[in-house]
Amino acid sequence: MDVKQRLLYAIFLSSLLLSSMSSLTAQKENYNSTAYLPASWINQASESLMINSTGGNIVIPILLRGSDGPRYVCGFYCNMEGNQCVFGVLISQSRRSNDEYLQSPELVWSANRNNPVHSNATLQLRQDGDLVLANSDGTLIWSSHTRGKLVSGLKLTKMGNLVLFGPKNESIWESFDHPTDSLLLGQKLGPGQKLRASDSATNWSQGRLSLAVGSNGLSAYIESDPPQRYYVSGTNSYPFYEFRNGSLNDLTIPPASGAQFIKFEPDGHLKVYQWRDMRFVEVIDLLDPYVGDCGYPMVCGNYGVCSKGQCGCIETTNDQEKSYFSQINFRQPNLGCSRVTPIFCDDSRDHTLLELTNTSYFAVDSSLDKANMGMEDCKSKCLSNCSCKAALFYYTDQRDSVLESNGNCLLLNEVFSIINNEDNIRPPYNTTVLVKVQDVYVHSSSSSSSSSSSSSSSSSSSSSSSSSSDIKQTILGCTFAVLACVVSLICYCLILLRRILEDSEETEGHFLNQLPGMPTRYSYEKLKSMTEDFSKKLGQGGFGSVYEGVLSDGTKIAVKCLDGSGQVKDSFLAEVQIIGSIHHVNLVKLIGFCFHKLHRLLVYEYMANGSLDKWICGGKNSQSLPWNARRRIITDIAKGLAYLHEDCSHKIIHFDIKPQNILLDQNFNAKVADFGLSKLVEKDQSRVNTRMRGTPGYLAPEWLSSVITEKVDVYSFGIVMLEIICGRKNVDWSKIEEDKHLLSIFKRKAEEERLQDMVDKNNLDMLIHVQEAVEMMEIAAWCLQSDFTKRPSMSLLVKVLDGLVAPETNLDYDFTKPSVVETRAAGHLVIEADNIASQLLPSALSGPR
Ligand SMILES: *[C@@H]1O[C@H](CO)[C@@H](O)[C@H](O)[C@H]1NC(C)=O
Ligand SMILES: *[C@@H]1O[C@H](CO)[C@@H](O)[C@H](O)[C@H]1NC(C)=O
Ligand SMILES: *[C@@H]1O[C@H](CO)[C@@H](O)[C@H](O)[C@H]1NC(C)=O
Ligand SMILES: *[C@@H]1O[C@H](CO)[C@@H](O)[C@H](O)[C@H]1NC(C)=O
Ligand SMILES: *[C@@H]1O[C@H](CO)[C@@H](O)[C@H](O)[C@H]1NC(C)=O
Ligand SMILES: *[C@@H]1O[C@H](CO)[C@@H](O)[C@H](O)[C@H]1NC(C)=O
Ligand SMILES: *[C@@H]1O[C@H](CO)[C@@H](O)[C@H](O)[C@H]1NC(C)=O
Ligand SMILES: *[C@@H]1O[C@H](CO)[C@@H](O)[C@H](O)[C@H]1NC(C)=O
Ligand SMILES: *[C@@H]1O[C@H](CO)[C@@H](O)[C@H](O)[C@H]1NC(C)=O
Ligand SMILES: *[C@@H]1O[C@H](CO)[C@@H](O)[C@H](O)[C@H]1NC(C)=O
């Protein structure tokens, strides 16, 4: 068993240390940057030729160029399963000259992305001048169409351009003329050329988004009939766009300090990536300032409504039973919404238009045909043509609304994401989106509601016919509220929980199961059988034991049984409420729960590699993690916490960040667990009373001062960071007095400027990365500032950890200094801790349990 574990661990280690291994493998071959015809290459992943890339993708190099700085490789690029390969060009960077090192390369051009090849495919540079890619059975996949031309060879230039050149060294064909979704420094995008984004991160086929240069300058749009544009630069003074050091024509780019490329992403963003710290990081999102979070065509999918970056569906709040749209996937609202009833063209009498006021649409200012008419004419124009799925309408001059003329009417044959424009920041103002729906109820229920109300939206009734009064009735009830969707979900959850609590056992269960996206309610018997009568215990936490189990579909689960009453009841509700309604890759997912007599159980996703504490203090257990894994775990925790603090509809403070509450899945992704102690705070709520929460050793000093903010989590996170880097517990009673407390060593070593002494010495890889580890410790020190206002927010930390922002350097290493009470700075959430005095002393003195 021990041997097996060691073996598995060795495999794990080697995959994490892949970077250094791939440098070895690349050294064996001396790649050329030019090949002369005839030549041919086979897509075969022999060990010596393989270089692993990001996400487990594999590169089989053919030509290599660049020894100091940006480096390019052309070759076969295959996904992890090896069933999808393209011939393409990748960009990377060498660390220093003569370094045969190819790490984290990114694909910037490919020949056959819509038509991937498999292993044993061949690339041939034929005698007749053609460059041909064929599958192993001989089927032609791609060709440069240069047959009959005088081609001497194929070269990869130092700009990353793949060129077929002639006897006079002239270019006959080049990859720069056939861009896919990326641009390299020096590359031009001319009239007639476009970048097509990939379908998704995993499917490299071209998707529907395009970026092209035309008479209006640079424009980005989604292919549809007709295309719908979401960005246009509007200047036509450039014959082409060229990616230079520092600019893409009128768009400014940070100067390149190393390899850099522009990528048109599957979501429509146009991002610049820059090599930093051994990988590519995003340095700027070029279209964002113009387009905005909600202005991308597919940000919330078809018929999705985007509100400050959050997605929902079109809601008809006045008439709940008439819901025209439903979410495609409750857990992923950004996939968009689908019609409950499709539009039948042969029954156009039953078509009505939902009138969404205070909304906008990304293509409202686009080149789509605009017609000048009033609102009513616009409506009938859309209703009279079945291929019209929605209309956009606005008056440039509000006075025209009285005359019912001179409005702008745009018809859409396909509806992508709609923008909530309640705060009226997107011109043109007062745009109304009119979405066509199939009304199956109109005739059956018309008598009951025909007289109920008169339309307030009809300022003129000149054109109203009998069918348009039907329309107006439907329109009446239509307002949408995207945020309300989220909030109502939480409320719904709360109400259900209350009903569960009030209900006796016999009504156990069924209604909650019907709510997709919310945790499932299980019966106690079911959980008992799923866990084989609670036989496999995974661990024991502060509030109860955790058992392993299996769902009927084979998914492994962890079942937590809460024991005790009072406090447990609170924490049970808190967990179900909080975790059930939020989803993030770095937060442990709550699958279900059970509430039965005295039993309170929570069902979580199973985390194969247990809690972090088992991994960081395990020097002797030969389980100590390499640097990359530690850095990733730290970043993961930061992302999870940033989400809790800033991205949910409520601000959520965890209050108990410690290694025991960080879990690792089979791929060593870290997820924050145990929200039992967390506190849900309305975003506009400024202070909250709470009793003392958390674990001694991880408590921020401001607990003494009774001013508590989300920065207590930042402090605990700082401690956890230190523990991860140093590979030891915060307090270690086995050490001599002056080394018992990690923070006192930290202070001492910082004064001596010998922080490197603290880095975990049980792991060779940590010693290799000692400089990075010390930099990380300085970030931890920032989190540990005793004045909480000096600590960074979690979202800022995420940026710092991603290398996008420089960390604060003016730090105070006297962490134990009690914090200053008067710092009730504006903008901070303030929580008043009650009963501090009575609770503080014993716990603060007793150290970790
Ligand atoms: C590259 O990845 C493959 C498949 O995941 C693996 O078998 C191989 O050992 C890796 N190679 C290196 C050098 O890490
Ligand atoms: C580089 O070119 C030389 C001469 O053309 C050839 O012998 C060698 O195999 C090439 N190397 C690779 C890795 O293709
Ligand atoms: C590729 O070719 C090798 C021998 O040339 C053969 O052993 C292997 O099975 C082939 N792979 C596939 C997927 O056809
Ligand atoms: C071919 O042209 C490139 C620049 O385009 C130049 O660097 C190289 O030296 C030339 N080679 C020959 C043989 O003329
Ligand atoms: C990849 O995307 C293309 C274009 O959207 C689509 O036609 C194709 O089915 C997708 N392939 C997979 C495997 O999903
Ligand atoms: C880009 O310009 C900056 C100065 O503006 C310079 O330091 C850097 O080396 C340039 N990068 C490249 C790749 O030329
Ligand atoms: C639209 O926004 C205005 C303020 O911009 C507000 O007064 C009005 O109530 C909103 N209408 C709806 C239906 O939300
Ligand atoms: C309906 O709209 C489509 C697409 O916009 C157009 O091609 C067609 O001519 C229109 N039909 C009528 C009857 O106006
Ligand atoms: C938008 O509509 C409101 C009332 O409907 C009006 O007061 C306001 O002036 C309009 N804004 C513009 C820019 O037309
Ligand atoms: C970590 O998880 C993987 C995947 O389930 C497993 O193979 C491995 O044994 C785990 N490691 C340990 C030490 O439990």
Side-chain angles (χ1 to χ4, degrees):
M1 180 60 196
D2 200 30
V3 175
K4 191 178 159 203
Q5 267 196 4
R6 270 161 200 256
L7 191 71
L8 282 170
Y9 183 62
I11 294 169
F12 165 65
L13 236 181
S14 62
S15 68
L16 281 167
L17 288 175
L18 156 180
S19 50
S20 45
M21 289 188 64
S22 59
S23 73
L24 295 178
T25 49
Q27 234 157 12
K28 291 185 196 156
E29 291 277 338
N30 248 330
Y31 288 101
N32 302 318
S33 61
T34 308
Y36 297 91
L37 52 77
S40 87
W41 300 269
I42 299 180
N43 179 20
Q44 235 163 31
S46 76
E47 267 310 317
S48 61
L49 287 175
M50 240 156 65
I51 294 170
N52 290 346
S53 166
T54 40
N57 295 340
I58 292 161
V59 185
I60 297 157
I62 291 173
L63 302 175
L64 190 69
R65 181 76 187 238
S67 54
D68 190 7
R71 157 169 294 195
Y72 299 93
V73 58
C74 103
F76 293 103
Y77 183 60
C78 302
N79 65 357
M80 192 159 42
E81 294 80 29
N83 56 11
Q84 207 196 127
C85 303
V86 292
F87 166 63
V89 174
L90 295 105
I91 184 171
S92 175
Q93 168 142 329
S94 52
R95 284 190 301 183
R96 50 185 180 272
S97 55
N98 302 326
D99 177 17
E100 289 293 337
Y101 199 87
L102 189 67
Q103 200 194 16
S104 310
E106 297 280 345
L107 189 69
V108 288
W109 178 80
S110 63
N112 59 314
R113 58 178 175 154
N114 294 329
N115 222 346
V117 293
H118 309 287
S119 56
N120 288 356
T122 55
L123 180 78
Q124 281 180 293
L125 184 53
R126 291 192 180 154
Q127 197 71 59
D128 63 10
D130 214 0
L131 182 66
V132 174
L133 180 66
N135 248 328
S136 57
D137 60 3
T139 46
L140 177 75
I141 298 294
W142 173 85
S143 143
S144 61
H145 299 294
T146 47
R147 186 172 174 184
K149 305 223 167 107
L150 271 179
V151 172
S152 309
L154 177 70
K155 71 179 172 193
L156 187 59
T157 71
K158 60 173 190 274
M159 280 164 36
N161 194 1
L162 187 67
V163 179
L164 283 171
F165 59 95
K168 297 198 193 91
N169 202 6
E170 77 278 19
S171 153
I172 292 170
W173 174 96
E174 48 190 88
S175 62
F176 272 19
D177 288 339
H178 306 270
T180 52
D181 63 356
S182 304
L183 290 175
L184 293 174
L185 267 169
Q187 189 169 356
K188 291 174 187 162
L189 194 65
Q193 289 180 333
K194 48 175 140 164
L195 299 186
R196 284 293 288 264
S198 294
D199 182 77
S200 67
T202 47
N203 182 349
W204 305 329
S205 300
Q206 70 183 29
R208 297 179 67 181
L209 294 164
S210 294
L211 184 80
V213 176
S215 55
N216 283 323
L218 196 64
S219 62
Y221 53 90
I222 185 159
E223 305 279 356
S224 182
D225 181 26
Q228 298 182 12
R229 191 175 69 196
Y230 67 94
Y231 167 80
V232 62
S233 66
T235 42
N236 57 358
S237 48
Y238 307 108
F240 54 80
Y241 269 66
E242 182 176 0
F243 178 19
R244 297 210 185 91
N245 184 3
S247 69
L248 179 66
N249 292 34
D250 44 345
L251 301 169
T252 308
I253 292 171
S257 59
Q260 207 182 55
F261 66 95
I262 298 181
K263 183 167 177 201
F264 189 44
E265 302 278 355
D267 58 7
H269 290 253
L270 185 66
K271 292 183 175 173
V272 181
Y273 289 89
Q274 158 88 46
W275 185 265
R276 197 174 285 162
D277 265 354
M278 327 254 284
R279 69 205 157 103
F280 283 102
V281 296
E282 175 194 331
V283 286
I284 190 170
D285 189 334
L286 291 173
L287 304 185
D288 238 22
Y290 309 96
V291 175
D293 284 349
C294 286
Y296 292 90
M298 288 300 271
V299 59
C300 287
N302 292 91
Y303 295 106
V305 180
C306 178
S307 185
K308 302 192 176 82
Q310 308 256 29
C311 298
C313 287
I314 297 167
E315 293 255 317
T316 48
T317 46
N318 285 11
D319 196 350
Q320 280 302 342
E321 55 189 355
K322 272 190 212 169
S323 186
Y324 293 101
F325 295 92
S326 68
Q327 214 130 56
I328 289 172
N329 182 336
F330 252 87
R331 285 183 191 268
Q332 285 170 280
N334 57 335
L335 291 183
C337 309
S338 59
R339 291 176 179 279
V340 172
T341 315
I343 297 220
F344 301 108
C345 279
D346 48 8
D347 208 359
S348 58
R349 279 181 313 155
D350 291 347
H351 293 172
T352 53
L353 292 171
L354 298 182
E355 191 172 327
L356 311 177
T357 50
N358 289 353
T359 56
S360 190
Y361 191 74
F362 63 88
V364 72
D365 200 20
S366 92
S367 52
L368 292 172
D369 279 343
K370 276 185 201 129
N372 280 345
M373 55 179 71
M375 170 86 97
E376 291 306 319
D377 291 337
C378 183
K379 287 179 184 170
S380 43
K381 192 173 175 203
C382 183
L383 285 169
S384 68
N385 189 337
C386 194
S387 48
C388 174
K389 296 296 184 299
L392 310 177
F393 184 84
Y394 64 93
Y395 289 111
T396 31
D397 188 335
Q398 207 56 31
R399 280 167 301 185
D400 290 332
S401 65
V402 183
L403 303 170
E404 266 284 317
S405 66
N406 282 329
N408 294 286
C409 175
L410 292 79
L411 303 187
L412 303 176
N413 295 329
E414 194 174 1
V415 182
F416 302 99
S417 301
I418 296 166
I419 301 163
N420 178 349
N421 200 24
E422 255 162 2
D423 35 15
N424 238 327
I425 39 174
R426 282 182 80 98
Y429 304 104
N430 290 348
T431 300
T432 301
V433 178
L434 301 152
V435 179
K436 188 185 281 181
V437 291
Q438 177 86 28
D439 212 329
V440 286
Y441 302 104
V442 164
H443 293 299
S444 58
S445 65
S446 59
S447 56
S448 65
S449 58
S450 58
S451 61
S452 59
S453 54
S454 65
S455 167
S456 60
S457 67
S458 63
S459 50
S460 102
S461 53
S462 56
S463 65
S464 64
S465 61
S466 71
S467 81
S468 80
S469 79
D470 271 354
I471 294 163
K472 278 177 194 147
Q473 271 175 31
T474 324
I475 287 163
L476 237 190
C478 306
T479 341
F480 77 90
V482 180
L483 280 175
C485 178
V486 177
V487 171
S488 63
L489 239 155
I490 293 173
C491 292
Y492 193 7
C493 187
L494 274 165
I495 292 166
L496 286 179
L497 276 166
R498 209 159 94 204
R499 274 168 63 184
I500 291 162
L501 288 173
E502 286 163 359
D503 278 355
S504 60
E505 308 302 331
E506 51 268 27
T507 57
E508 169 140 52
H510 307 295
F511 45 90
L512 208 82
N513 297 354
Q514 292 156 6
L515 197 61
M518 290 311 289
T520 314
R521 183 169 187 187
Y522 293 101
S523 70
Y524 188 68
E525 273 60 45
K526 190 88 188 283
L527 286 182
K528 210 166 151 180
S529 81
M530 289 195 295
T531 56
E532 293 177 358
D533 211 358
F534 302 103
S535 53
K536 289 187 217 158
K537 193 166 181 172
L538 293 171
Q540 174 81 42
F543 290 107
S545 315
V546 183
Y547 300 92
E548 188 181 323
V550 184
L551 290 183
S552 46
D553 67 358
T555 316
K556 273 192 167 183
I557 50 171
V559 178
K560 179 167 160 189
C561 302
L562 304 171
D563 43 39
S565 48
Q567 204 179 5
V568 165
K569 209 166 132 194
D570 287 350
S571 81
F572 182 81
L573 288 175
E575 293 226 8
V576 175
Q577 269 172 39
I578 298 171
I579 322 181
S581 60
I582 58 177
H583 305 287
H584 187 270
V585 286
N586 298 120
L587 301 175
V588 170
K589 190 156 81 201
L590 181 69
I591 297 172
F593 66 99
C594 166
F595 196 93
H596 175 88
K597 292 187 182 146
L598 288 176
H599 302 294
R600 310 278 179 272
L601 299 100
L602 294 164
V603 181
Y604 295 99
E605 61 178 315
Y606 180 77
M607 301 291 284
N609 278 307
S611 58
L612 180 61
D613 56 321
K614 280 188 281 188
W615 293 91
I616 54 178
C617 325
K620 286 183 218 102
N621 309 344
S622 75
Q623 288 192 335
S624 81
L625 298 170
W627 165 247
N628 262 340
R630 297 190 204 212
R631 189 181 64 182
R632 234 184 54 206
I633 288 169
I634 289 172
T635 314
D636 282 352
I637 305 170
K639 286 181 178 157
L641 279 176
Y643 183 80
L644 284 181
H645 286 180
E646 284 158 58
D647 295 337
C648 295
S649 51
H650 288 71
K651 183 192 284 283
I652 297 168
I653 304 178
H654 188 289
F655 284 119
D656 201 15
I657 292 297
K658 55 182 175 180
Q660 290 84 341
N661 285 339
I662 309 297
L663 302 182
L664 300 165
D665 72 5
Q666 70 275 21
N667 300 318
F668 274 76
N669 296 311
K671 304 193 184 205
V672 177
D674 222 327
F675 295 72
L677 293 176
S678 56
K679 183 98 179 170
L680 203 61
V681 182
E682 295 288 345
K683 274 222 157 123
D684 52 0
Q685 206 168 344
S686 66
R687 56 183 60 191
V688 159
N689 290 321
T690 178
R691 50 171 197 276
M692 185 124 178
R693 297 151 179 267
T695 302
Y698 299 85
L699 292 175
E702 62 264 28
W703 283 107
L704 284 164
S705 70
S706 88
V707 178
I708 300 304
T709 72
E710 73 272 21
K711 296 288 179 68
V712 297
D713 281 352
V714 179
Y715 182 91
S716 313
F717 172 70
I719 300 273
V720 174
M721 273 177 94
L722 263 196
E723 292 181 316
I724 293 173
I725 299 163
C726 305
R728 60 158 278 185
K729 288 205 177 75
N730 182 17
V731 184
D732 186 345
W733 299 106
S734 67
K735 296 268 193 316
I736 56 162
E737 185 58 38
E738 56 172 4
D739 284 350
K740 276 195 174 79
H741 292 272
L742 196 51
L743 283 189
S744 19
I745 310 178
F746 196 18
K747 182 182 173 201
R748 197 172 71 227
K749 291 292 179 188
E751 281 160 3
E752 295 166 7
E753 294 187 355
R754 292 202 52 83
L755 286 180
Q756 63 270 27
D757 294 352
M758 292 178 71
V759 173
D760 190 355
K761 289 179 205 58
N762 291 312
N763 189 304
L764 184 65
D765 188 56
M766 288 301 286
L767 297 181
I768 296 172
H769 293 97
V770 73
Q771 193 46 45
E772 288 158 84
V774 166
E775 281 163 20
M776 191 72 95
M777 282 164 78
E778 283 159 1
I779 298 175
W782 188 14
C783 299
L784 292 170
Q785 295 300 293
S786 51
D787 177 355
F788 69 87
T789 59
K790 299 229 168 90
R791 291 175 212 150
S793 68
M794 286 314 300
S795 58
L796 179 57
L797 270 173
V798 170
K799 290 197 186 108
V800 170
L801 293 170
D802 278 343
L804 299 176
V805 174
E808 173 68 52
T809 48
N810 178 21
L811 298 174
D812 179 0
Y813 280 81
D814 194 357
F815 309 112
T816 44
K817 197 166 60 188
S819 71
V820 194
V821 182
E822 73 268 19
T823 49
R824 301 196 174 208
H828 281 281
L829 171 74
V830 176
I831 295 174
E832 287 189 344
D834 49 281
N835 295 330
I836 284 289
S838 63
Q839 294 175 42
L840 177 80
L841 291 174
S843 50
L845 297 174
S846 66
R849 43 180 181 204

